[in-house]
Amino acid sequence: MRSSGINIQPHVFGYNEISPLTESLYRQSEVQSKVGLKEAENEKSLQENGELKYAWKTWVWTGSGKTTRHRSNDGQTVAFDDLFEIVNDATGEVDMMRYPLDPNASFSNAGICYCDIEYHNNPP
């Protein structure tokens, strides 16, 4: 007999929900790789030059049309080691996040997010 989804208490996920979750996990690994690379570049620059290559990071709402819950956060810029204060436009829930899809944030803000992050050395 075929199951109708995956039961993760207290929610039963249907197959139409599993696909976006899988895509979100893939995007999370992409973003975490990008963050790790920028952190390594900063560490190398500090060792070689005594200064950061990237001093700032900016939250980028992609406007993908798939989700609009982080539109108000677009363009928020913080120092490289600081956290973004991310507001879920739909629920009002607030999380302090290192980057989009940060696993330390609530699912409301970190799950199935299509935002991106940019790094730069110019102050806001």
Side-chain angles (χ1 to χ4, degrees), residues 48-97:
E48 293 177 354
N49 310 319
E51 60 186 48
L52 295 174
K53 180 174 182 177
Y54 305 104
W56 306 95
K57 58 187 178 183
T58 301
W59 187 278
V60 179
W61 176 73
T62 61
S64 67
K66 295 180 182 182
T67 180
T68 60
R69 67 176 177 226
H70 293 146
R71 176 179 280 177
S72 66
N73 302 284
D74 188 41
Q76 183 182 152
T77 300
V78 298
F80 185 87
D81 289 328
D82 288 350
L83 300 174
F84 294 103
E85 184 176 329
I86 300 303
V87 177
N88 182 317
D89 295 341
T91 66
E93 188 169 3
V94 177
D95 280 298
M96 301 304 292
M97 299 173 68

Side-chain angles (χ1 to χ4, degrees), residues 22-62:
T22 303
E23 182 180 349
S24 183
L25 288 172
Y26 176 77
R27 282 206 20 79
Q28 184 181 46
S29 68
E30 284 184 319
V31 171
Q32 286 177 326
S33 294
K34 181 179 188 176
V35 170
L37 176 64
K38 298 305 181 187
E39 288 173 343
E41 289 176 13
N42 259 1
E43 184 64 32
K44 182 179 178 184
S45 181
L46 272 174
Q47 290 175 357
E48 293 177 354
N49 310 319
E51 60 186 48
L52 295 174
K53 180 174 182 177
Y54 305 104
W56 306 95
K57 58 187 178 183
T58 301
W59 187 278
V60 179
W61 176 73
T62 61

Side-chain angles (χ1 to χ4, degrees), residues 3-15 17-18 21-22:
S3 173
S4 62
I6 297 173
N7 185 1
I8 299 176
Q9 296 295 331
H11 184 78
V12 176
F13 289 87
Y15 290 110
E17 294 173 293
I18 294 171
L21 288 172
T22 303

